[in-house]
Amino acid sequence: MTTTIRARLMLGASLSLIAGAAAAADCPAVTVADMQGLSPAFPQQFELAELEAAASCDLAFQENPEIADLNARIMGNPDLPPVAERLPAEPLVVAPYAEIGSYGGVVTGLSRGTESGTSDILSVRHVNLVRYSDDLKTIVPNVAKAWEWNDDFTQLTFTLRKGHKWSDGAPFTAEDVAFWYNDIITNPAITEKTPDRWLFEGEPAKVEAVDEVTVRFSFPAPQPNLLNRWAVDYGQTFQPRHFLGQFMDRYNADAAALREQHGFETEAEAVNFYYGNSDWKDVPSAMMKDMSKAEAIGKAAVPTLESHIVVRENSEGRRLVANPYFHMVDTAGNQLPYIPEIREDYVPEREVVNLRILNGEVVWKQQAMELNDFPLLKENEAKGNYTAELAPTLGETVFYSFNRNHKDPVLAEIFSDVRFSQAMSLGIDREEIKEIVYLGQGTPAQAVPAEAATVNFVTDEHLTQFIEHDPDAANALLDEMGLTRDANGIRQRPDGKPLTVRIVFASQGSPVQLHELTRGYWADLGLQVDIREVTSDEYRAQGNGNDVDVFIWKNDGITGPFISQDATMLVPPFGDFFNPGGGYEWVNWMNSDGAEGIEPPADIKKLWDLAEDFLKQPLGSAESDRIGAEIIDIHADNLLKIGVVAGIPSPYVYRNDLANLQPLTAKTYDFYWTYPYRPQQWFLKAE
Amino acid sequence: MLRFLTERAIGMAVTLFLVSIMVFVIMELPPGDYADRYAFRKYSGTGLTITEADVAAIRAELGLDKAAILRYFDWIGGIILRGDFGQAYAFETSVNSIIGEKAWLTLGLLLVTLIITYVVSIPIGIFAAVRRGSAVDYGLTVFSYLGLALPNFLLALVLLYFANSWFGAAVGGLFSAEYADAPWSLAKFWDLVKHMWLPAFVLAWSAMAYQIQTVRATMSDEIGKLSVTAARARGVPEGRLLLKYPARLAINPIASTIGFDVNRIFSELPIVAAVLGLTELGDLLLKSFLDLDMNVAGAILLLLTVVIVVMNFLSDLLLAWLDPRIRLGG
Amino acid sequence: MSATEDPRPETRTERRERERRERYYAASQWTLIWWRFRRHRAAMVAAAILGLMMFLGIFAEFFAPYGPTDRDRTYVSGPPQLPMFCDHNGCSLRPFVHGTSTVRDPVTLRAVARPDPETRRYVHFFVPAEPTKLMGLIPSQTRFFGLEDGEKLHLWGTDTLGRDVFSRTLFATRTSLSIGVLGVLISFVLALTIGGVAGYFGGLIDSAIQRVTEVVRVIPIIPLYMGLAAAMPKEWSSTQVYFAMTLILGLFGWPTLARRIRSQLLSIRGEDYVLAAELAGARPGRIIANHMLPSFTSFIIVDLVISFPYMILSETALSFVGLGLRPPAVSWGVMLQQAQSIQVIEQAPWLFIPAGFVVIAVLAFTVVGDGLRDAADPYGQSG
């Protein structure tokens, strides 16, 4: 693999030399629709040298005529040099889907609030070292020009682009990647605890800048699937050392004075004023925290490599403008993005969101759109001059996971009995749910932590056990457990109290009608069921606090590229902060070597080792499939998450003037929403 | 009158003190505090498991581990001495900077609503009282009660929908995008008006019902009084008669409830705001309540209650001026 | 003596007139009020409407053809079915509805119920049904009306889960009216006591009570409820939440009325008849109840009547923000919360029918209050 990539690049480079010497014709305006006979090494994009060589041409660069005005809106940015100097010496050349676009317009999007439903619009501007192509199978270069593994997958080397610059014009180099890892996330003075996912078997990796454009990650154990993370992850594995480093004594002799000048007591405080404690780019920005301080320092937001940068943020929304140093051009040499501005409004109320869409005020929206609203959206398409489409989702059934580590020991015991989960699953009428809640779409299925279409080791057996609607069998199981009914038909717990289950859910994670139906099904089995809708934040707080009876969310984060490098979904607590899955006392027991918490059952205990081994095998290899199957068996045997209906299509809408939009292969957070579909080459067509 | 004034002023001070305690109690009511949320937020997306110790550390850092009484004095002390409402945890900034301009917008919305309410309800109430039992009276009653009877959130949505599909009214928020950041100008003001009429109308409609009925009832009482009958017998013209005797007295109950109209309107505000996507204090209050961001909720509640208490004080003065019996008896 | 002066026997008319007057003079205040109220036609109609609502609500298990959570999966989001006597196939004495079938639009995925004009389903009265308990007590196996053969009739259509709107509305009526009534009662008693004491005694007691009243009044109600509702134990069942909410609504509904009672009392405190009663040695409670309150009963009535919709609306508002009643409890607020969407406005407007109930109930209470107010007015026309 390694050799071929390098070979192609070498070939491209040498060809370009020849071509450059020969003739300097204009390059063909290649599009995905019409590749004009060219077949790049990676789908739909070229390295500059590769294109110029293949088409024996010379690409001249153009810019957005408004770019100087946009630049003026970015706090602290100096006047712009010409476009050719702003682009890397090796820009990424992107073939637009349908046509070469034109500059101008504003993409309007809606999210619910700061850190709530924002990843949709975040993904529009997102970049990372690499990217998944829209086939969701091929990893292609992005910020990194190339990458190379060593033979046993313990060393990964990225090659960056020569002359690449941050959004403020400062050079972006390998040092900035090393800075992110060595000085921020593994530096206890800045980040108290390194995120587990960036530790490997508990050890940090070694990250070194070999030269200006070469950065090398060395891992203590093989990580054959880790490249996926750079392709699907929300985080940015590079931070501007020239800017954040100025607050750190190590990089700036006057850092202490600078910190004092701006009222920061520690390095951490200063860095986090901009960095916000997290790779998650959605934490309140410096503008939100203290605009006057941000002005004194001279930057409203930390410099970025993304296609757009936030220039204004408050509790009502965000405004972004194009990054004048963005590293992509189209095949006609126009610097991307075409769309100079993004406006994101926070609208928490779903009906106002719908009304705005119906009004044609929203250019792009896909996150948190419910299938339920599709008939309304589709019927009003013409009136609002927009289009509503359905995209497949990957897996993503809603799950019910009974809290086996419940704080109430009686409930913990009942929920730990797999017969209980089996009975609850059998009590659910999935066909009815499919008809009523999901407009007849989707397939009834259980929830397992791997998406069947993206891995080889999930069987039909895993997905279809206990999915038939069989209240008699369910009742028999509950009777067998000794949960007898009282005179009113309510089942009694062993301590004589009525068996009560509270369904606490957020409508962001699952539709309310589903829970009303489920309430009915379980009430028929003799449970007292109470349902309560809360905000996502409240659900997450309760879930992470181990305060719920049933964990309820969408079963996401389970595609092959995801689980092969991040075992979060495979081991307790079977999820992350955003999507908690239970088993917190088991986790405590493991983390404290048995001093605290509850000892997990033997098979659950095995999951940790299995998951560790799973990450060491290349996804799709026989060994990987064998371990994967074993993990899924354990999940299925315990029926950890009761699934409902999977494969439900989900709506997205776009205004009709949004061009170069590719129908979504799948609408999923697992590939970071729009990232595979290259929103940089979207443009707004004048009517 | 001076004695009356002093008494009321002292009363107001005592009320304000009690109110601050009450607001603090409300802030304390919901179980849990922001420390949990903050912990999860801080470590969100890091794949870390959060221990009780982490949460306790954050609780100490935020000063939430202190006894309630100490926190009360910290809180109220900061407000009185420095005008500092504390930290808005969820926004990682100060409460003052979050509330800032929104307070004025909210006040504006409340005032507009109040004015609409009185301008409409007083004349209609008097008119209905004079024509009691007639079709006009019942028509007006039904109209005013529709505003009250239709739950505000429903009214807001339905009106928004129809206003939008019939007149292309602006959807949600208080400003259009192009004016949100712009400095104040006539155009921006007009933009605000275009956005504000709907919520003000929804809020005023339900407040109207109450006032119309109160005016109507008081007027009816007063019209039947012997003094009016006597005056009529003396041949005082009907119009002057109404204004001279009953109408003046019928204003009393209204004057005594201005503060509470504000209260009532604001009570509805969070819900109407949520539906209409307004970005003012009512909406912020609801959000911060759900987020357990209690400093923000407390600041809004306190500001509002202070406004109401002061309004009540003024209405007491007005009342005493209108009706000497009260100031002498009180 | 008079008998000797006027030996002529009474005529029948005279006797009636005399008896009428005797009854009138002997009648208690409340009897008089009732007599006057009876003549207020609109108020009588409104009272009858309220009575009917309560009756339907109390016996919801009999009048509603289905339970509040029963689903008809063949008729989801179906429009109202109006029974008819005639169609293109002729007429029938027994009302009937057409059979329906539900088809999903392949493009918009919307399920549309289509009537089949060739099939008729006849409406029957006193049909046998699943056993239930009237008011949760009396076992019953009969419903007021329904269709034969297990077919279902949805007078007012069904909601997004296929539940019968008519049936749910009746059950909701019971819940919402009872919350309103209980809440108003609780706050009325509190207001009367607190306002009465403050207004009658004045001075220090008044000042103290005034402060407390003012504090309770100036706190915006919804945030207060939100705090209290959030503080409610999470494990409470919906029944417990129901009673707690009634209590909360009642406990904080009193200040408006109390303040009014107080200020009215204050303003007539110095009147001669009050002084006279005091001099005659009457106790404060008696003076307030017998001498002072009647002079502004109309106020109290208007306030009571008006606080009723506030109770109901508070309930709906709280349910809306997710802090009030929760399914499976069904109230007007819970039902309207589910109607809270553009989709419903456009595609299933019949889900707004409960709003009609809220409006009618509120209006009826007003008209009744109005009638009562006239009737209670001591200066009103006698006889």
Side-chain angles (χ1 to χ4, degrees), chain B residues 169-251:
Chain B
V171 185
L174 281 175
F175 293 108
S176 309
E178 60 267 38
Y179 290 112
D181 291 337
W184 280 99
S185 65
L186 210 61
K188 180 169 178 172
F189 180 73
W190 180 239
D191 184 60
L192 178 66
V193 170
K194 279 197 291 189
H195 282 80
M196 209 185 250
W197 72 267
L198 188 71
F201 180 71
V202 171
L203 291 167
W205 197 359
S206 66
M208 258 182 240
Y210 196 91
Q211 285 306 349
I212 291 179
Q213 290 311 308
T214 314
V215 175
R216 180 172 166 277
T218 328
M219 273 299 282
S220 306
D221 275 357
E222 298 293 334
I223 286 178
K225 286 222 168 128
L226 296 175
S227 58
V228 179
T229 316
R232 189 177 287 128
R234 286 201 307 274
V236 177
E238 198 68 13
R240 241 186 82 197
L241 183 85
L242 282 178
L243 290 181
K244 188 154 182 209
Y245 297 97
R248 251 185 76 181
L249 285 174
I251 308 291

Side-chain angles (χ1 to χ4, degrees), chain A residues 513-591:
Chain A
Q513 286 118 315
L514 169 65
H515 302 300
E516 289 209 28
L517 291 177
T518 305
R519 190 202 62 74
Y521 301 138
W522 290 350
D524 289 347
L525 298 181
L527 272 67
Q528 231 172 35
V529 189
D530 195 32
I531 64 179
R532 178 169 187 186
E533 184 176 345
V534 296
T535 62
S536 305
D537 257 14
E538 201 176 340
Y539 169 75
R540 285 165 179 158
Q542 287 191 26
N544 288 290
N546 198 20
D547 258 339
V548 297
D549 293 351
V550 203
F551 295 92
I552 303 165
W553 202 260
K554 272 181 284 206
N555 189 30
D556 58 11
I558 56 164
T559 53
F562 202 95
I563 56 171
S564 62
Q565 40 89 15
D566 185 337
T568 309
M569 291 292 161
L570 308 180
V571 299
F574 308 115
D576 57 12
F577 164 79
F578 297 101
N579 182 358
Y584 288 100
E585 294 298 334
W586 294 338
V587 179
N588 276 349
W589 189 89
M590 273 308 280
N591 287 354

Side-chain angles (χ1 to χ4, degrees), chain B residues 8 11-12 14-15 18-19 22-23 26 29-31 132 137-138 141-142 145-146 148-151 153-154 157-158 161-162 206-207 209-210 213-214 216-218 220-221 224 253 256-257 260 263-264 266-268 271 274-275 285-286 289 301 304-305 308-309 312 315-316 323 325, chain C residues 40 42-43 211-212 214-224 226-228 230-231 252 256 259-260 262 266-268 271 298-299 302-303 305-306 309-310 313 316-318 320-321 323 333 336-337 339-342 345-346 352 355 358-359 362-363 366-367 370 373-374 377 379:
Chain B
R8 286 300 147 107
M12 181 172 78
V14 176
T15 308
L18 291 177
V19 158
M22 188 77 184
V23 167
I26 295 181
L29 269 180
R132 270 191 66 191
D137 176 25
Y138 277 119
T141 307
V142 170
Y145 265 84
L146 271 182
L148 180 61
L150 285 167
F153 58 87
L154 210 61
L157 183 74
V158 173
Y161 175 76
F162 286 111
S206 66
Y210 196 91
Q213 290 311 308
T214 314
R216 180 172 166 277
T218 328
S220 306
D221 275 357
S256 70
T257 55
F260 301 110
N263 183 339
R264 189 176 304 115
F266 191 85
S267 265
E268 308 277 352
I271 287 159
V275 175
L285 177 69
L286 189 65
F289 228 98
L301 276 181
L304 182 81
T305 45
I308 294 171
V309 170
N312 281 342
S315 92
D316 272 355
D323 187 350
R325 284 181 296 181
Chain C
H40 200 299
R211 296 285 81 80
V212 176
E214 192 142 332
V215 171
V216 177
R217 278 194 73 187
V218 294
I219 303 289
I221 300 155
I222 297 287
L224 183 67
M226 282 163 57
L228 289 168
F252 290 92
T256 317
R259 195 172 143 109
R260 259 170 214 264
R262 170 198 165 265
L266 272 184
S267 69
I268 58 169
E271 303 270 346
S298 50
F299 254 136
V302 171
D303 261 324
V305 164
I306 219 147
Y310 268 103
L313 294 169
T316 55
L318 276 184
F320 171 72
V321 290
L323 296 167
L336 287 179
Q337 191 212 340
Q340 174 69 11
S341 76
I342 308 278
I345 298 177
E346 281 206 352
F352 283 101
V358 180
V359 173
V362 170
L363 286 176
T366 322
V367 177
D370 216 40
R373 182 181 166 283
D374 282 357
D377 183 0
Y379 296 106

Side-chain angles (χ1 to χ4, degrees), chain B residues 271-323:
Chain B
I271 287 159
V272 173
V275 175
L276 297 182
L278 303 185
T279 48
E280 44 63 71
L281 293 187
D283 176 58
L284 191 63
L285 177 69
L286 189 65
K287 248 193 268 179
S288 50
F289 228 98
L290 294 175
D291 276 353
L292 292 183
D293 200 351
M294 281 308 163
N295 277 346
V296 176
I300 297 173
L301 276 181
L302 193 68
L303 278 180
L304 182 81
T305 45
V306 167
V307 168
I308 294 171
V309 170
V310 171
M311 283 210 160
N312 281 342
F313 175 68
L314 295 177
S315 92
D316 272 355
L317 295 190
L318 186 67
L319 211 56
W321 177 69
L322 281 172
D323 187 350

